[in-house]
Amino acid sequence: MMIRPTTIAALVALITLTSAFQTPSNTRIISTTTLFSTPPERTTDQPPKPPLSTLVKRVAVAGATGRTGKLVVQQLLSQNVPVLALVRDTDKAMSAFDPTNELLTIRKTDLGSKDDVITAIQEGEGVDCAMWCATGFSDAPDQSIWDKVSAIFGFATNSQGSIDAVGLPALGEALAKSPKRTLANGSDKSAPLPKVVMLSSAGVTRPDWTDEKKSALEGCAGIPIVRLNPFGILGVKKQSEEELRNCGTEYTIFRPGGLNDKWPKNSRPIFSQGDVAVGRINREDVATILVDLLSTPEATGKTFEGVSIANSDGYYPPAESLSVALDRLILDKDGVSEDVARATYAIMQQLLPGEKQAAAELAMGQTYEQLDKEEIGRLGARGTEEAPIVKTA
Ligand SMILES: NC(=O)c1ccc[n+]([C@@H]2O[C@H](COP(=O)([O-])OP(=O)(O)OC[C@H]3O[C@@H](n4cnc5c(N)ncnc54)[C@H](OP(=O)(O)O)[C@@H]3O)[C@@H](O)[C@H]2O)c1
């Protein structure tokens, strides 16, 4: 199935989709302005995608023992795809996976060392693509602060020893000269497949927004992780993304919203651009998306956010393929205009969990449901959360 790419059309499709079905009662109505017009033309001439195991020789997974990385490795192995797991703790990897699985190679790798990462890929017997699921810092001055930040935010880093800023571009550099990956199934798509897929985060650009934009898009700029931005983590991730874009290899950057293992899985992902997505997504769905991206040429050269809406009562199952949704998105080299970002914001805010729809009122550690019920979150009231001191990158 082919779709002509325009993000404005994608927004139209989202609106049309939400209003076209006969909806259950008590349903959220999504509304927008009349900025948008013609939906994209569809054709049905796309051949089916071959199995991933025929498109990939071996995938290097950085951060393979992490909560999302582990799910990525499991999904790859279940699709008979050989994996090179790049880990800092081989014992942890041996207990997380079946070390007798012949498709799996575990390699101790210092992700904060460019040489170590490049050597791991070069010696990785056929590695032709990589997934970045790691985050962290290699020179943590105080491990207890690291643990605390990790527990609160799900990740942590600092500008000095960020493994993201070193290991991720090293993966890109190591794969830049390897042969192009394509679907090679008779598809007329000219875009190559990504060689490096980065698991980034929604919100990485927001600390750098102008005051005017922060105020206009407060539901994005005022969420706790952006407001507190511990150790300048968002800026470090933004910089790491930029290094990947500039390293000369085909890439895809996926920025999920809040990773939440209690959020329903097998949910419909909603992809958007402009860094205006706020919401939740289950790590299992993130892993499924990341693995799918390896065989989705429509994702190459693009950065996009993703949250999900629950597939309750059989409504909103995930689409059969990511291709249609991602084909509509804009290439990084073309840029997302302010108008598109602001219009996307107007829609995405309506997909927020809960009823209050006031993400900027959340305290760190407080759920949307707690906000609705006026209950305090696990880290205390807004403004008094036990969050670490904010340092700018
Ligand atoms: N939490 C959220 O709501 C959220 C939202 C959006 C995006 N994200 C992003 O999603 C990604 C994955 O999140 P997650 O929850 O799966 O992360 P996670 O469970 O904390 O996993 C992080 C991985 O990085 C590895 N790592 C940390 N420091 C390292 C170092 N110095 N050297 C080598 N490896 C190191 C960890 O190794 P060990 O297994 O040995 O500890 C682990 O495998 C992160 O990049 C995060 O920024 C998170």
Side-chain angles (χ1 to χ4, degrees):
M1 194 174 280
M2 264 180 46
I3 302 286
R4 297 235 168 94
T6 77
T7 294
I8 291 180
L11 297 171
V12 172
L14 179 60
I15 311 304
T16 314
L17 183 79
T18 51
S19 58
F21 286 106
Q22 198 182 4
T23 48
S25 60
N26 198 18
T27 297
R28 181 171 296 176
I29 308 294
I30 310 291
S31 65
T32 185
T33 64
T34 52
L35 257 178
F36 317 115
S37 55
T38 328
E41 186 185 314
R42 287 168 176 251
T43 60
T44 53
D45 57 358
Q46 179 102 349
K49 243 199 259 185
L52 184 60
S53 56
T54 65
L55 297 169
V56 163
K57 291 194 188 123
R58 185 182 297 275
V59 186
V61 180
T65 48
R67 285 165 291 182
T68 313
K70 193 159 66 175
L71 299 171
V72 165
V73 172
Q74 285 164 350
Q75 291 202 23
L76 289 168
L77 294 176
S78 73
Q79 293 184 43
N80 292 318
V81 174
V83 170
L84 174 67
L86 307 180
V87 300
R88 60 176 168 176
D89 182 344
T90 47
D91 289 342
K92 186 175 176 184
M94 300 284 262
S95 57
F97 307 113
D98 172 8
T100 65
N101 187 330
E102 290 182 353
L103 291 172
L104 175 67
T105 306
I106 296 168
R107 179 175 175 130
K108 187 173 171 68
T109 311
D110 179 359
L111 296 178
S113 157
K114 181 177 169 180
D115 288 349
D116 216 21
V117 171
I118 290 179
T119 306
I121 300 300
Q122 285 169 347
E123 294 178 355
E125 287 180 26
V127 169
D128 56 353
C129 54
M131 188 87 74
W132 181 266
C133 300
T135 195
F137 58 108
S138 50
D139 59 354
D142 178 346
Q143 198 61 30
S144 67
I145 292 183
W146 156 255
D147 288 343
K148 187 175 173 186
V149 176
S150 290
I152 294 173
F153 296 101
F155 53 80
T157 182
N158 76 5
S159 53
Q160 258 91 53
S162 159
I163 58 167
D164 309 54
V166 178
L168 175 64
L171 279 183
E173 192 179 322
L175 288 165
K177 294 206 176 92
S178 67
K180 252 188 192 173
R181 300 178 56 240
T182 60
L183 277 180
N185 68 341
S187 159
D188 63 356
K189 293 278 176 201
S190 57
L193 294 165
K195 287 188 199 158
V196 179
V197 174
M198 175 191 183
L199 169 53
S200 180
S201 175
V204 297
T205 68
R206 294 177 205 167
D208 293 340
W209 287 358
T210 62
D211 288 345
E212 185 277 322
K213 185 168 178 180
K214 281 182 184 161
S215 158
L217 278 56
E218 200 201 354
C220 284
I223 65 169
I225 182 66
V226 179
R227 184 166 47 85
L228 299 171
N229 193 17
F231 299 106
I233 54 173
L234 297 173
V236 173
K237 276 196 178 293
K238 182 181 160 205
Q239 183 205 331
S240 310
E241 286 187 352
E242 201 50 29
E243 303 227 11
L244 178 60
R245 288 185 196 103
N246 294 331
C247 76
T249 197
E250 295 83 11
Y251 68 86
T252 295
I253 297 171
F254 178 48
R255 300 167 165 171
L259 305 183
N260 186 314
D261 295 335
K262 292 186 185 147
W263 191 243
K265 52 191 166 193
N266 200 29
S267 290
R268 165 84 54 91
I270 304 292
F271 300 114
S272 60
Q273 290 176 297
D275 199 10
V276 291
V278 181
R280 295 171 174 157
I281 187 166
N282 188 291
R283 282 187 177 81
E284 283 200 31
D285 287 356
V286 170
T288 302
I289 291 164
L290 292 170
V291 170
D292 274 5
L293 290 175
L294 290 171
S295 57
T296 306
E298 294 84 355
T300 303
K302 293 179 182 174
T303 299
F304 49 92
E305 295 79 54
V307 296
S308 77
I309 50 174
N311 174 22
S312 64
D313 297 333
Y315 291 100
Y316 293 106
E320 274 180 6
S321 159
L322 302 181
S323 296
V324 173
L326 298 184
D327 200 20
R328 294 172 177 139
L329 299 186
I330 295 170
L331 287 164
D332 290 343
K333 69 180 176 54
D334 294 332
V336 176
S337 74
E338 270 306 293
D339 282 351
V340 167
R342 290 181 188 221
T344 308
Y345 170 81
I347 294 171
M348 298 306 292
Q349 285 289 295
Q350 298 170 72
L351 296 177
L352 283 170
E355 294 174 320
K356 276 214 169 102
Q357 312 269 292
E361 287 177 23
L362 284 168
M364 179 55 80
Q366 185 185 29
T367 65
Y368 295 93
E369 294 76 15
Q370 286 172 324
L371 182 69
D372 284 348
K373 291 185 206 150
E374 298 182 358
E375 290 172 3
I376 305 268
R378 69 187 162 92
L379 300 172
R382 189 174 187 282
T384 64
E385 301 103 312
E386 279 187 50
I389 298 157
V390 179
K391 281 205 291 191
T392 49

